[in-house]
Amino acid sequence: LIRLKSLNANTDITSLARKVVEECKLIHPSKLNEVEQLLYYLQNRRDSLSGKEKKEKSSKPKDPPPFEGMEIDEVANINDMDEYIELLYEDIPDKVRGSALILQLARNPDNLEELLLNETALGALARVLREDWKQSVELATNIIYIFFCFSSFSQFHGLITHYKIGALCMNIIDHELKRHELWQEELSKKKKADILLDCLLDEDPENQTLRKDYEKTFKKYQGLVVKQEQLLRVALYLLLNLAEDTRTELKMRNKNIVHMLVKALDRDNFELLILVVSFLKKLSIFMENKNDMVEMDIVEKLVKMIPCEHEDLLNITLRLLLNLSFDTGLRNKMVQVGLLPKLTALLGNENYKQIAMCVLYHISMDDRFKSMFAYTDCIPQLMKMLFECSDERIDLELISFCINLAANKRNVQLICEGNGLKMLMKRALKFKDPLLMKMIRNISQHDGPTKNLFIDYVGDLAAQISNDEEEEFVIECLGTLANLTIPDLDWELVLKEYKLVPYLKDKLKPGAAEDDLVLEVVIMIGTVSMDDSCAALLAKSGIIPALIELLNAQQEDDEFVCQIIYVFYQMVFHQATRDVIIKETQAPAYLIDLMHDKNNEIRKVCDNTLDIIAEYDEEWAKKIQSEKFRWHNSQWLEMVESRQMDESEQFLYGDDRIEPYIHEGDILERPDLFYNSDGLIASEGAISPDFFNDYHLQNGDIVGQHSFPSR
């Protein structure tokens, strides 16, 4: 390190660079130009700091200020160190004076290396701190401050560890926090007595004495707290510096540092609180520490600091909340304690807008809390930010937050107020912004008045569906169109005018596009197939075989399977396309295979589709009926099919040879297996599908009281 004490705005950089190279033997003369460049950078660095960098710089806690005990009239001299060490062996007042003089030297970083070589001084300071810290708060504060000066530089951390100052500081902090609790209890008792006195009207001298006693105790308490907070601040700052090493930090965690820090949040000293919250923020990135904070109800303690007058404290508190907001339970707690409106109010402040938005974004991830934003001023502020954004791409935090909020119906009503949707569409189409279009897509999924607003933009959205546009943007446009299940919308006209059928068919070919785009194409086909004429148009174009081929390729993907089956459902729903599906494709066979899929939604769509097919086609009705029977009685059929008859059983049927295994087809032709002399077999037996031939099938349900009994 080369300290440039004379460097200022008027320094001659060239001369100074030459002087540095001449005096520093480690720098080769050939590096003169590089030294000059570095000096020029240092000279102008302060002015070039952006507002954000200045903010980050100021967020680091300031060094502890001068305090009672270190304010002495003498000026310390490094040459008088022996005298100062001797003072450490005297009474407490002399020890305080000696430690204050050594601290005066330690506060100048240039003296630290020389102090480091003085093992006698460091050993004496460590011994006095260990033995006498309970005797004098000023003495303890001075000595910890000396070691704090060393802790500001990583290369001296080994020295502090050697003298076990960190562990000693932990003990001191714990003791001081407990003392503070005792002081508060004593003060509380006297305050209660004082309140009772206020209720008495007489001027009893004894009552006056008690009141004066309380006032005296309160003043004493205030003085003790000031000194104690100076000590706590220096000790915690030293530990924060040592916590650069995660192994050291783990040792602190094992000694309950988190509990101590959260207890300290009850203080009113801004400088101490900044330090405590900074330390907690650093610790909060580890789950174990975060869990300790949960036990101590940290969110309830932090809520009182939002908002607060102290900018640095508010800034660091928001950053701690951001770290904590990754935890679902803590997000829930933030909402419970009323942080939502407080954070929303900070969106209007440029200094805190970004960090507050990040915390709110995390809260908005939970569906339970999305609707609560409608009762704050959040959405109008966000819309204002969106429309005022001058860049082509909106800030990621802002648009992500808006996408989450647009998943709630009440929020969408507020977003679309006035010309909200019009402005969003205009910007999205102008800049081809896929994230803004994703927000619009979320808006389009809600039924009601807001969905009808999209009728004006169907043409604009359909015009984006082409191979020329960015795929991510096209996916969102397709998804938005697919959400528009509006009865009055003429989809046939849209498909023809924008030539969408060839595009949709082309994307269905396996490998023709990314899965995300193909899935949106399938969903789009399902939506337009709700229109009778559109379904016929798509069926004639040969889209159904393409869907079956895609079903084969994507049979492991439940989402694909469900959406393709839904298209089949829409096709068989319309008379114009029902025959194409039933007689010209193998779609019904695939539906029968999927009747018993493990996915509940797939089974539901399959059943509805097969019910319609069975109602209009007798041949498929029998196959479907047989499959339902086989599945319902599968256990019984399996037992019969696998049964090999004994020789003794063969005699029951005469000398004719019976096959060792009976197949399902044979069983269905054997009425003797299903009927007895009284008609139907006992209630626990299985019933043949033939029994139901006389009943009319409607939507796959059997009219009457009978159903397939299980076995």
Side-chain angles (χ1 to χ4, degrees):
L1 292 178
I2 300 170
R3 301 193 182 280
L4 305 169
K5 297 178 182 178
S6 61
L7 182 64
N8 56 50
N10 302 316
T11 303
D12 182 354
I13 296 297
T14 307
S15 303
L16 182 58
R18 198 176 298 115
K19 184 180 178 185
V20 168
V21 171
E22 286 172 3
E23 292 188 4
C24 185
K25 305 301 181 188
L26 296 173
I27 302 176
H28 195 269
S30 64
K31 302 286 186 182
L32 179 63
N33 288 335
E34 289 182 37
V35 173
E36 194 170 326
Q37 284 293 326
L38 286 169
L39 291 173
Y40 178 77
Y41 165 73
L42 289 171
Q43 188 180 43
N44 293 279
R45 178 176 61 175
R46 185 177 299 276
D47 298 329
S48 65
L49 278 175
S50 68
K52 185 179 177 183
E53 288 169 330
K54 285 178 182 175
K55 189 73 187 170
E56 287 178 358
K57 187 177 179 183
S58 67
S59 67
K60 188 179 185 236
K62 297 172 186 173
D63 282 358
F67 53 86
E68 186 182 345
M70 62 181 283
E71 293 176 336
I72 52 176
D73 296 333
E74 297 178 61
V75 176
N77 190 319
I78 195 74
N79 298 319
D80 297 333
M81 270 299 296
D82 290 341
E83 293 179 22
Y84 306 153
I85 295 169
E86 285 180 15
L87 289 172
L88 296 177
Y89 292 90
E90 303 297 331
D91 294 332
I92 294 296
D94 289 328
K95 286 178 180 177
V96 171
R97 178 168 162 263
S99 62
L101 289 164
I102 297 172
L103 173 57
Q104 201 178 108
L105 296 172
R107 292 191 73 188
N108 182 350
D110 292 333
N111 294 327
L112 289 178
E113 287 191 341
E114 192 164 339
L115 287 172
L116 180 68
L117 299 174
N118 196 329
E119 290 185 15
T120 307
L122 295 174
L125 287 166
R127 178 188 59 77
V128 171
L129 179 62
R130 195 161 43 250
E131 294 174 358
D132 297 330
W133 65 267
K134 288 184 180 178
Q135 306 297 319
S136 167
V137 175
E138 292 87 351
L139 177 62
T141 307
N142 283 345
I143 298 176
I144 293 173
Y145 204 146
I146 292 167
F147 284 104
F148 160 73
C149 293
F150 282 101
S151 75
S152 299
F153 302 93
S154 300
Q155 61 265 42
F156 298 137
H157 285 184
L159 160 80
I160 298 166
T161 305
H162 173 72
Y163 288 108
K164 299 182 179 177
I165 301 300
L168 189 53
C169 281
M170 293 281 290
N171 293 336
I172 292 170
I173 292 167
D174 187 38
H175 177 79
E176 291 299 327
L177 290 172
K178 287 174 180 174
R179 279 179 71 188
H180 184 256
E181 287 176 3
L182 292 173
W183 294 343
Q184 284 187 314
E185 282 178 21
E186 184 183 347
L187 191 66
S188 177
K189 288 175 185 175
K190 293 192 176 182
K191 188 175 183 180
K192 283 178 184 175
D194 187 52
I195 292 169
L196 288 171
L197 290 175
D198 286 338
C199 301
L200 301 174
L201 299 175
D202 62 333
E203 295 294 328
D204 189 339
E206 186 179 344
N207 292 344
Q208 294 300 318
T209 306
L210 287 170
R211 180 164 294 164
K212 287 178 182 177
D213 184 38
Y214 167 71
E215 290 171 359
K216 183 181 176 182
T217 305
F218 183 68
K219 285 180 182 177
K220 182 183 177 184
Y221 166 78
Q222 286 180 312
L224 289 170
V225 166
V226 169
K227 289 182 180 180
Q228 189 187 63
E229 287 178 346
Q230 290 167 349
L231 173 60
L232 288 173
R233 190 172 172 215
V234 177
L236 286 170
Y237 210 153
L238 182 145
L239 292 175
L240 177 59
N241 287 342
L242 292 180
E244 284 178 8
D245 185 343
T246 50
R247 291 170 299 179
T248 306
E249 186 179 302
L250 181 59
K251 290 178 183 176
M252 294 180 195
R253 192 254 164 185
N254 291 337
K255 290 195 170 187
N256 269 345
I257 186 67
V258 175
H259 289 72
M260 295 180 196
L261 289 167
V262 177
K263 273 186 185 178
L265 287 174
D266 295 326
R267 305 296 179 118
D268 297 321
N269 184 308
F270 282 129
E271 298 299 333
L272 177 62
L273 286 172
I274 289 171
L275 183 61
V276 169
V277 177
S278 300
F279 208 153
L280 285 167
K281 173 181 163 288
K282 183 181 187 305
L283 294 168
S284 65
I285 62 174
F286 292 101
M287 186 178 290
E288 295 82 359
N289 296 334
K290 183 264 297 177
N291 291 339
D292 286 350
M293 293 177 201
V294 172
E295 288 177 16
M296 295 291 290
D297 296 325
I298 188 170
V299 174
E300 285 90 334
K301 293 179 183 289
L302 292 176
V303 71
K304 68 177 184 180
M305 301 178 202
I306 298 177
C308 71
E309 298 172 3
H310 202 290
E311 286 192 12
D312 289 340
L313 178 57
L314 180 52
N315 184 46
I316 199 68
T317 304
L318 288 170
R319 292 179 183 279
L320 171 57
L321 282 170
L322 177 60
N323 283 1
L324 297 175
S325 67
F326 284 89
D327 181 274
T328 309
L330 286 172
R331 289 202 296 270
N332 187 22
K333 186 66 73 176
M334 288 176 197
V335 175
Q336 284 179 6
V337 298
L339 261 177
L340 200 59
K342 290 187 172 189
L343 292 169
T344 300
L346 293 174
L347 291 176
N349 190 315
E350 280 298 320
N351 293 330
Y352 314 115
K353 179 175 75 175
Q354 202 73 5
I355 190 75
M357 192 183 298
C358 290
V359 181
L360 288 169
Y361 164 74
H362 278 166
I363 293 172
S364 72
M365 289 165 61
D366 199 318
D367 289 336
R368 293 173 299 166
F369 306 136
K370 284 185 174 73
S371 61
M372 299 180 75
F373 286 89
Y375 303 100
T376 69
D377 191 36
C378 185
I379 291 172
Q381 289 191 69
L382 294 178
M383 295 298 286
K384 187 170 180 283
M385 289 180 212
L386 282 175
F387 299 144
E388 289 177 352
C389 185
S390 56
D391 300 331
E392 281 193 21
R393 289 290 184 265
I394 300 164
D395 288 342
L396 199 59
E397 293 85 357
L398 173 58
I399 191 61
S400 302
F401 187 20
C402 291
I403 288 168
N404 280 358
L405 293 182
N408 176 267
K409 189 172 183 177
R410 176 65 185 134
N411 291 340
V412 163
Q413 290 169 353
L414 294 174
I415 289 169
C416 294
E417 276 185 357
N419 290 324
L421 182 59
K422 181 181 179 181
M423 299 290 285
L424 290 172
M425 287 294 303
K426 186 177 178 182
R427 182 182 175 96
L429 295 171
K430 179 182 177 182
F431 295 117
K432 312 288 185 183
D433 187 341
L435 289 177
L436 186 54
M437 187 54 72
K438 186 184 283 290
M439 177 187 174
I440 293 169
R441 177 181 172 180
N442 277 1
I443 293 171
S444 69
Q445 72 186 355
H446 303 288
D447 294 327
T450 53
K451 183 169 283 193
N452 293 325
L453 295 174
F454 281 88
I455 291 178
D456 296 337
Y457 308 107
V458 171
D460 295 321
L461 290 165
Q464 310 304 314
I465 313 300
S466 72
N467 292 316
D468 300 331
E469 298 294 345
E470 185 187 347
E471 187 174 279
E472 197 178 346
F473 183 67
V474 172
I475 287 172
E476 301 306 331
C477 291
L478 265 172
T480 306
L481 283 171
N483 283 335
L484 304 184
T485 50
I486 304 171
D488 299 334
L489 193 54
D490 189 347
W491 278 115
E492 185 183 15
L493 181 64
V494 175
L495 291 179
K496 287 179 177 176
E497 187 172 340
Y498 294 96
K499 299 179 175 59
L500 292 182
V501 176
Y503 176 88
L504 297 174
K505 186 180 175 184
D506 181 60
K507 295 301 176 188
L508 289 177
K509 296 173 185 173
E514 292 294 324
D515 283 357
D516 287 347
L517 179 58
V518 179
L519 181 60
E520 294 306 326
V521 167
V522 175
I523 296 170
M524 177 71 179
I525 292 169
T527 299
V528 299
S529 295
M530 294 172 71
D531 185 291
D532 203 342
S533 52
C534 277
L537 181 66
L538 292 169
K540 287 174 187 174
S541 71
I543 248 171
I544 296 169
L547 284 170
I548 291 174
E549 189 179 351
L550 182 64
L551 183 61
N552 275 326
Q554 299 285 355
Q555 56 187 307
E556 298 301 321
D557 190 319
D558 283 1
E559 183 68 18
F560 262 103
V561 172
C562 195
Q563 295 297 345
I564 292 170
I565 293 171
Y566 179 73
V567 175
F568 293 159
Y569 169 76
Q570 292 292 356
M571 293 286 185
V572 298
F573 198 81
H574 302 296
Q575 188 176 356
T577 52
R578 191 179 299 129
D579 288 345
V580 178
I581 283 279
I582 295 173
K583 295 177 180 175
E584 297 180 21
T585 73
Q586 288 299 308
Y590 280 96
L591 291 168
I592 287 175
D593 284 342
L594 292 165
M595 273 173 66
H596 312 297
D597 192 272
K598 62 181 180 295
N599 186 298
N600 186 46
E601 291 301 317
I602 292 175
R603 289 200 308 273
K604 196 183 295 182
V605 181
C606 258
D607 284 344
N608 291 337
T609 312
L610 288 170
D611 287 348
I612 297 172
I613 292 172
E615 190 173 343
Y616 289 96
D617 189 285
E618 289 185 11
E619 187 179 341
W620 277 113
K622 287 181 180 179
K623 291 179 182 178
I624 293 164
Q625 187 182 22
S626 177
E627 172 59 24
K628 285 185 176 181
F629 167 79
R630 191 197 66 76
W631 178 262
H632 199 73
N633 297 280
S634 57
Q635 189 177 357
W636 182 80
L637 289 170
E638 187 181 341
M639 181 269 293
V640 174
E641 287 177 358
S642 62
R643 182 177 176 188
Q644 189 170 9
M645 302 195 64
D646 298 335
E647 286 184 6
S648 59
E649 289 179 312
Q650 292 179 24
F651 294 120
L652 295 172
Y653 301 97
D655 295 332
D656 294 336
R657 192 74 179 165
I658 293 178
E659 291 295 325
Y661 293 98
I662 301 173
H663 299 289
E664 182 189 335
D666 301 326
I667 291 170
L668 296 178
E669 299 300 324
R670 292 281 303 280
D672 57 304
L673 290 177
F674 305 103
Y675 296 91
N676 62 14
S677 57
D678 298 322
L680 285 175
I681 61 171
S683 60
E684 68 271 11
I687 303 170
S688 165
D690 294 338
F691 175 73
F692 299 103
N693 284 349
D694 295 331
Y695 289 85
H696 176 63
L697 295 177
Q698 183 177 3
N699 293 328
D701 296 326
I702 297 164
V703 180
Q705 300 301 314
H706 304 288
S707 61
F708 292 124
S710 57
R711 178 82 176 169

